[in-house]
Amino acid sequence: MSTDSPGRPVHETGVVWSLTLRDIVLLSLVAALVTVGTVLVHVPLHIPGKSGVVWIALLVVGRGLVRKPGAGLLMGLVAGVLVTLIGLGSESIFTWTRFASAGLVLDATTWAVGGDLTKPWAAALAGAAAHLAKLVTMTVVGLLLGLPATVMAVGLGLAATTHAVFGAVGGLLGALVLRELRRVPGLMDRP
Amino acid sequence: MRRQRWRVVAVIAVLAAVVGTGWAVQHAAAGRKAPSGASRPAAYSVAVTRNGALLRRFTLADLHALPATRVTIDGKVQDGPTLLSVLAAAGVRGHPAVIVLGAGLRDSGKLVLPASRVNGRIVVDFADRGTVKVCSPQIAWGHWVRDVKEIRVD
């Protein structure tokens, strides 16, 4: 068990089907921010995975605010469906799978690192894992869509590295935001 | 506490394994060079069709053989043949309406271009990953089609 302040235990409380109204509002808000960040923000940097800094940071913030196993997956699903629907015409109909897989892996790694995403190293690790999950999902979906394996393999090592790095940076930013949000009365989940 | 430490080590090991696998796959694919020496995937091609009939199938080598043009969009150079030159090489004359279809992995996978919008500024760009994308300064970035598979002519 980890602590988010001296002597104060961090619990992963309940599971995703025991969400409170506060949890639902927070998850929806973060999912909406992920959607806005993905659809509207276009970073003119030609490096694979650069956009992950923004949305991974937001997912980490959301998962850090709602400490319930499955919250990451739910948030990823909602964000993915919103991005797919709002970005209709410019987004792939499989976009939701990226966010869902990232949310799922974020849940798993959050559990593995002890549940406290305000720790920079833990959030960086969780962010890197979530962002790599998105890349793996895209690769698998690409193969399922009939793209040749040789095409999917081009630049895969570089993409994996940059996804891990951008995911870790996003996780770090998320941890910093969470640390600030911890000071807001009533915002952090106190079991 | 000790169990958690092992979990963290396991997560780091999995991440390293995924990144390592990515590099290994990338090197393995780069090793399969085409006879020309370029590391181009032979399985990839772009079909130009009209009413369901195949007019011509272009490999990357075929597309490289066409006269190339170069445009800079958002600071990045996009180079390759124009859409019009690809259509001409497939035996299509004039400026017909066109539907560009891609894999749909990174975008909607579909771009509808009425005849009035088909011009010499639309580029079939060679992407780094060994596929082509259809782009133009006149087409919003979000509507570009990557990993193009088919160009349908009306």
XYZ file of all heavy atoms in Angstrom, chain A residues 83-152:
497
model
N -14.269 10.719 -29.639
C -13.330 11.114 -30.704
C -13.800 10.545 -32.037
O -13.794 11.229 -33.061
C -11.895 10.619 -30.388
C -10.988 10.818 -31.596
C -11.326 11.354 -29.197
N -14.230 9.288 -32.010
C -14.679 8.650 -33.249
C -15.896 9.370 -33.817
O -15.981 9.609 -35.023
C -15.018 7.169 -32.991
O -13.889 6.548 -32.377
C -15.331 6.444 -34.294
N -16.832 9.741 -32.941
C -18.062 10.381 -33.411
C -17.833 11.836 -33.811
O -18.252 12.273 -34.881
C -19.141 10.312 -32.329
C -19.697 8.915 -32.039
C -20.698 8.973 -30.906
C -20.338 8.321 -33.285
N -17.132 12.584 -32.962
C -16.926 14.011 -33.236
C -15.964 14.200 -34.406
O -16.130 15.095 -35.219
C -16.422 14.734 -31.971
C -17.538 14.737 -30.936
C -15.986 16.164 -32.275
C -17.147 15.285 -29.601
N -14.982 13.320 -34.498
C -14.019 13.445 -35.589
C -14.468 12.724 -36.839
O -13.659 12.436 -37.717
N -15.759 12.406 -36.898
C -16.275 11.665 -38.044
C -15.917 12.384 -39.343
O -16.122 13.570 -39.482
C -17.795 11.541 -37.936
C -18.399 10.232 -38.430
C -17.812 9.057 -37.688
C -19.896 10.237 -38.282
N -15.366 11.633 -40.260
C -14.941 12.255 -41.510
C -13.436 12.427 -41.547
O -12.841 12.488 -42.603
N -12.832 12.513 -40.370
C -11.377 12.625 -40.361
C -10.729 11.574 -39.465
O -9.529 11.392 -39.497
C -10.945 14.018 -39.901
O -11.384 14.258 -38.600
N -11.521 10.877 -38.664
C -10.966 9.853 -37.789
C -11.395 8.465 -38.259
O -12.475 8.292 -38.822
C -11.459 10.064 -36.353
C -10.826 11.250 -35.642
C -9.368 11.055 -35.292
O -8.931 9.889 -35.214
O -8.657 12.058 -35.126
N -10.536 7.498 -37.974
C -10.866 6.115 -38.299
C -11.982 5.619 -37.379
O -12.083 6.052 -36.230
C -9.623 5.242 -38.100
O -9.965 3.890 -38.070
N -12.810 4.707 -37.889
C -13.866 4.166 -37.020
C -13.271 3.238 -35.955
O -13.969 2.805 -35.049
C -14.948 3.400 -37.825
C -14.320 2.300 -38.667
C -15.760 4.338 -38.681
C -15.333 1.325 -39.218
N -11.988 2.942 -36.083
C -11.329 2.089 -35.090
C -10.578 2.918 -34.043
O -9.876 2.358 -33.210
C -10.358 1.134 -35.778
C -11.040 0.219 -36.758
C -11.005 0.478 -38.109
C -11.748 -0.881 -36.312
C -11.653 -0.348 -39.011
C -12.403 -1.708 -37.202
C -12.359 -1.446 -38.564
N -10.731 4.231 -34.107
C -10.001 5.101 -33.174
C -10.293 4.733 -31.723
O -9.401 4.796 -30.871
C -10.388 6.570 -33.437
O -9.967 6.914 -34.751
C -9.718 7.511 -32.459
N -11.537 4.355 -31.440
C -11.913 4.056 -30.055
C -11.057 2.944 -29.449
O -10.815 2.920 -28.241
C -13.403 3.715 -29.961
C -13.773 2.434 -30.643
C -14.140 2.276 -31.938
C -13.798 1.129 -30.060
N -14.390 0.958 -32.210
C -14.194 0.235 -31.070
C -13.536 0.626 -28.777
C -14.318 -1.140 -30.843
C -13.654 -0.739 -28.555
C -14.054 -1.605 -29.578
N -10.578 2.019 -30.294
C -9.796 0.901 -29.754
C -8.483 1.381 -29.142
O -8.009 0.814 -28.165
C -9.489 -0.137 -30.848
O -8.772 0.499 -31.914
C -10.757 -0.754 -31.399
N -7.918 2.457 -29.709
C -6.655 2.983 -29.169
C -6.841 3.465 -27.734
O -6.054 3.156 -26.844
C -6.173 4.188 -29.970
C -5.976 3.975 -31.418
C -5.502 5.288 -32.018
N -5.875 5.382 -33.416
C -5.730 6.487 -34.140
N -5.235 7.564 -33.589
N -6.073 6.504 -35.401
N -7.897 4.255 -27.542
C -8.129 4.846 -26.219
C -8.565 3.783 -25.212
O -8.170 3.828 -24.052
C -9.180 5.956 -26.325
C -8.716 7.135 -27.127
C -8.974 7.228 -28.480
C -7.980 8.144 -26.531
C -8.528 8.305 -29.225
C -7.522 9.229 -27.271
C -7.799 9.307 -28.622
N -9.373 2.841 -25.683
C -9.840 1.788 -24.777
C -8.661 0.942 -24.295
O -8.550 0.630 -23.104
C -10.882 0.919 -25.478
N -7.768 0.586 -25.219
C -6.630 -0.249 -24.811
C -5.701 0.537 -23.890
O -5.177 -0.007 -22.916
C -5.867 -0.754 -26.034
O -5.352 0.335 -26.766
N -5.530 1.833 -24.186
C -4.686 2.658 -23.316
C -5.284 2.733 -21.912
O -4.574 2.608 -20.909
C -4.527 4.054 -23.903
N -6.607 2.903 -21.851
C -7.275 2.966 -20.550
C -7.157 1.662 -19.786
O -6.904 1.657 -18.571
N -7.302 0.567 -20.504
C -7.199 -0.760 -19.868
C -5.808 -0.983 -19.289
O -5.652 -1.414 -18.134
C -7.529 -1.839 -20.910
C -7.516 -3.283 -20.432
C -8.645 -3.517 -19.435
C -7.658 -4.246 -21.608
N -4.793 -0.664 -20.089
C -3.418 -0.870 -19.614
C -3.076 0.128 -18.506
O -2.334 -0.203 -17.578
C -2.430 -0.767 -20.808
C -0.986 -0.729 -20.336
C -2.640 -1.950 -21.747
N -3.652 1.308 -18.577
C -3.454 2.281 -17.490
C -3.989 1.720 -16.170
O -3.347 1.846 -15.127
C -4.156 3.599 -17.834
C -4.025 4.737 -16.823
C -2.562 5.139 -16.641
C -4.842 5.946 -17.264
N -5.148 1.076 -16.242
C -5.708 0.415 -15.053
C -4.739 -0.627 -14.502
O -4.455 -0.668 -13.300
C -7.032 -0.275 -15.412
C -8.214 0.677 -15.356
O -8.180 1.629 -14.559
O -9.174 0.460 -16.119
N -4.247 -1.458 -15.406
C -3.376 -2.562 -14.978
C -2.080 -2.038 -14.375
O -1.643 -2.504 -13.309
C -3.075 -3.463 -16.173
N -1.472 -1.036 -15.026
C -0.195 -0.536 -14.512
C -0.391 0.283 -13.233
O 0.472 0.290 -12.369
C 0.557 0.303 -15.567
O -0.359 1.148 -16.233
C 1.256 -0.568 -16.568
N -1.546 0.948 -13.136
C -1.819 1.696 -11.897
C -1.865 0.726 -10.718
O -1.317 0.992 -9.645
C -3.158 2.455 -12.016
O -3.072 3.359 -13.105
C -3.454 3.253 -10.749
N -2.493 -0.417 -10.945
C -2.515 -1.455 -9.908
C -1.099 -1.931 -9.609
O -0.695 -2.071 -8.457
C -3.394 -2.621 -10.386
C -3.248 -3.842 -9.542
C -3.813 -4.073 -8.319
C -2.449 -5.002 -9.845
N -3.423 -5.303 -7.840
C -2.593 -5.895 -8.758
C -1.647 -5.369 -10.924
C -1.956 -7.138 -8.735
C -1.010 -6.606 -10.897
C -1.168 -7.462 -9.811
N -0.319 -2.149 -10.672
C 1.029 -2.689 -10.497
C 1.939 -1.740 -9.723
O 2.788 -2.180 -8.947
C 1.638 -3.009 -11.859
N 1.767 -0.450 -9.924
C 2.663 0.503 -9.252
C 2.129 0.940 -7.882
O 2.710 1.803 -7.242
C 2.934 1.763 -10.126
C 3.620 1.373 -11.423
C 1.654 2.540 -10.400
N 1.027 0.372 -7.468
C 0.549 0.642 -6.117
C -0.610 1.613 -6.023
O -1.062 1.936 -4.923
N -1.082 2.114 -7.146
C -2.304 2.922 -7.134
C -2.117 4.420 -6.974
O -3.072 5.170 -7.124
N -0.899 4.859 -6.687
C -0.711 6.287 -6.443
C -0.063 6.963 -7.650
O 1.152 6.897 -7.837
C 0.165 6.489 -5.203
C 0.276 7.958 -4.830
O -0.390 8.786 -5.491
O 1.019 8.267 -3.885
N -0.875 7.620 -8.453
C -0.354 8.252 -9.675
C 0.166 9.659 -9.420
O 0.534 10.353 -10.366
C -1.441 8.265 -10.762
C -1.808 6.894 -11.335
C -2.936 6.999 -12.348
C -0.604 6.219 -11.972
N 0.201 10.089 -8.164
C 0.835 11.386 -7.891
C 2.355 11.223 -7.801
O 3.084 12.211 -7.796
C 0.320 12.013 -6.583
O 0.568 11.105 -5.514
C -1.161 12.334 -6.670
N 2.806 9.961 -7.702
C 4.257 9.728 -7.732
C 4.720 9.831 -9.180
O 4.218 9.098 -10.038
C 4.572 8.328 -7.214
C 4.352 8.139 -5.737
C 4.646 6.699 -5.374
C 4.418 6.457 -3.898
N 4.447 5.029 -3.582
N 5.653 10.718 -9.465
C 6.087 10.914 -10.861
C 6.548 9.637 -11.543
O 6.195 9.370 -12.686
C 7.220 11.927 -10.734
C 6.916 12.681 -9.485
C 6.298 11.676 -8.551
N 7.348 8.808 -10.864
C 7.865 7.605 -11.518
C 6.736 6.636 -11.852
O 6.729 6.002 -12.916
C 8.923 6.908 -10.641
C 8.383 6.314 -9.369
C 8.355 6.897 -8.148
C 7.779 5.027 -9.207
N 7.770 6.065 -7.222
C 7.421 4.901 -7.846
C 7.515 3.956 -10.063
C 6.805 3.759 -7.327
C 6.903 2.818 -9.554
C 6.554 2.733 -8.195
N 5.747 6.555 -10.944
C 4.627 5.644 -11.163
C 3.768 6.119 -12.336
O 3.376 5.326 -13.209
C 3.783 5.557 -9.893
N 3.503 7.424 -12.373
C 2.678 7.975 -13.448
C 3.412 7.883 -14.787
O 2.784 7.605 -15.823
C 2.333 9.429 -13.134
N 4.734 8.093 -14.769
C 5.509 7.993 -16.014
C 5.463 6.573 -16.558
O 5.281 6.343 -17.760
C 6.949 8.430 -15.762
N 5.600 5.624 -15.656
C 5.563 4.208 -16.061
C 4.182 3.845 -16.618
O 4.063 3.207 -17.675
C 5.883 3.341 -14.837
C 6.485 1.969 -15.085
C 7.721 2.051 -15.954
C 6.808 1.297 -13.751
N 3.154 4.287 -15.909
C 1.787 3.989 -16.343
C 1.487 4.664 -17.682
O 0.864 4.061 -18.572
C 0.788 4.449 -15.277
N 1.955 5.912 -17.833
C 1.736 6.639 -19.084
C 2.444 5.974 -20.250
O 1.872 5.830 -21.340
N 3.685 5.563 -20.024
C 4.440 4.896 -21.098
C 3.748 3.600 -21.510
O 3.610 3.301 -22.705
C 5.865 4.624 -20.619
N 3.305 2.839 -20.521
C 2.641 1.558 -20.821
C 1.338 1.786 -21.585
O 1.041 1.087 -22.560
C 2.378 0.803 -19.520
N 0.557 2.779 -21.147
C -0.725 3.061 -21.804
C -0.510 3.499 -23.246
O -1.226 3.072 -24.155
C -1.475 4.138 -21.018
N 0.506 4.334 -23.448
C 0.743 4.837 -24.806
C 1.279 3.739 -25.719
O 0.941 3.674 -26.905
C 1.719 6.014 -24.755
C 1.532 6.989 -25.874
N 2.520 7.848 -26.287
C 0.478 7.229 -26.683
C 2.067 8.585 -27.288
N 0.839 8.219 -27.551
N 2.093 2.837 -25.161
C 2.573 1.707 -25.958
C 1.415 0.774 -26.317
O 1.385 0.202 -27.411
C 3.650 0.938 -25.195
C 5.084 1.415 -25.391
C 6.026 0.592 -24.529
C 5.515 1.318 -26.853
N 0.463 0.655 -25.395
C -0.717 -0.188 -25.664
C -1.482 0.346 -26.871
O -1.984 -0.418 -27.698
C -1.622 -0.227 -24.444
N -1.548 1.668 -26.969
C -2.215 2.296 -28.119
C -1.488 1.923 -29.414
O -2.122 1.581 -30.419
C -2.242 3.811 -27.916
C -2.666 4.618 -29.124
C -1.527 5.466 -29.613
C -1.821 6.184 -30.902
N -0.687 6.961 -31.393
N -0.152 1.953 -29.394
C 0.619 1.619 -30.598
C 0.414 0.146 -30.982
O 0.215 -0.174 -32.159
C 2.110 1.898 -30.365
C 3.027 1.521 -31.527
C 2.798 2.430 -32.726
C 4.490 1.571 -31.114
N 0.459 -0.720 -29.978
C 0.269 -2.153 -30.246
C -1.121 -2.384 -30.849
O -1.278 -3.131 -31.825
C 0.451 -2.976 -28.940
C 0.046 -4.420 -29.150
C 1.895 -2.898 -28.467
N -2.124 -1.708 -30.294
C -3.490 -1.855 -30.807
C -3.573 -1.378 -32.252
O -4.183 -2.042 -33.101
C -4.473 -1.046 -29.932
O -4.319 -1.470 -28.590
C -5.908 -1.256 -30.373
N -2.970 -0.222 -32.528
C -2.985 0.291 -33.907
C -2.323 -0.683 -34.868
O -2.793 -0.890 -35.992
C -2.241 1.623 -33.970
C -3.091 2.822 -33.665
S -2.204 4.337 -34.031
C -2.368 4.420 -35.795
N -1.236 -1.288 -34.425
C -0.531 -2.239 -35.286
C -1.403 -3.460 -35.562
O -1.524 -3.909 -36.704
C 0.795 -2.668 -34.610
O 1.536 -1.494 -34.277
C 1.617 -3.544 -35.528
N -2.029 -3.965 -34.508
C -2.884 -5.148 -34.668
C -4.080 -4.823 -35.568
O -4.412 -5.595 -36.480
C -3.360 -5.656 -33.284
C -4.418 -6.741 -33.436
C -2.181 -6.176 -32.483
N -4.713 -3.657 -35.330
C -5.870 -3.267 -36.156
C -5.436 -3.095 -37.617
O -6.146 -3.509 -38.536
C -6.518 -1.973 -35.613
C -7.568 -1.431 -36.581
C -7.160 -2.223 -34.268
N -4.256 -2.512 -37.822
C -3.733 -2.355 -39.179
C -3.579 -3.689 -39.890
O -3.949 -3.841 -41.055
N -3.075 -4.674 -39.152
C -2.924 -6.008 -39.743
C -4.290 -6.613 -40.050
O -4.491 -7.234 -41.091
C -2.136 -6.923 -38.788
C -0.663 -6.537 -38.575
C -0.033 -7.402 -37.496
C 0.126 -6.686 -39.882
N -5.233 -6.402 -39.130
C -6.589 -6.924 -39.343
C -7.269 -6.240 -40.535
O -8.115 -6.839 -41.201
C -7.445 -6.741 -38.084
C -7.022 -7.573 -36.870
C -7.869 -7.231 -35.656
C -7.135 -9.059 -37.176
N -6.891 -4.977 -40.795
C -7.476 -4.245 -41.923
C -6.824 -4.621 -43.253
O -7.195 -4.097 -44.292
C -7.327 -2.731 -41.700
C -8.248 -2.117 -40.655
C -7.881 -0.663 -40.403
C -9.699 -2.212 -41.102
N -5.838 -5.485 -43.187
C -5.244 -5.977 -44.421
C -4.000 -5.245 -44.867
O -3.521 -5.474 -45.977
N -3.465 -4.355 -44.017
C -2.205 -3.708 -44.386
C -1.088 -4.749 -44.277
O -1.052 -5.509 -43.306
C -1.913 -2.529 -43.460
C -2.605 -1.225 -43.802
C -2.382 -0.200 -42.702
C -2.086 -0.675 -45.119
N -0.189 -4.792 -45.252
C 0.892 -5.781 -45.193
C 1.735 -5.619 -43.936
O 1.978 -4.498 -43.488
C 1.721 -5.471 -46.446
C 0.811 -4.718 -47.345
C -0.132 -3.969 -46.459
N 2.197 -6.757 -43.388
C 3.007 -6.714 -42.167
C 4.272 -5.897 -42.375
O 4.737 -5.212 -41.459
C 3.356 -8.138 -41.742
N 4.800 -5.940 -43.594
C 6.027 -5.190 -43.865
C 5.785 -3.686 -43.760
O 6.658 -2.928 -43.369
C 6.556 -5.523 -45.275
O 5.460 -5.542 -46.178
C 7.268 -6.841 -45.306
N 4.564 -3.266 -44.133
C 4.209 -1.851 -44.013
C 4.094 -1.468 -42.544
O 4.611 -0.441 -42.105
C 2.881 -1.559 -44.748
C 2.332 -0.192 -44.354
C 3.086 -1.630 -46.251
N 3.426 -2.318 -41.768
C 3.248 -2.015 -40.348
C 4.584 -2.013 -39.609
O 4.727 -1.362 -38.581
C 2.298 -3.040 -39.704
C 0.890 -3.031 -40.263
S 0.114 -1.411 -40.322
C 0.074 -0.953 -38.612
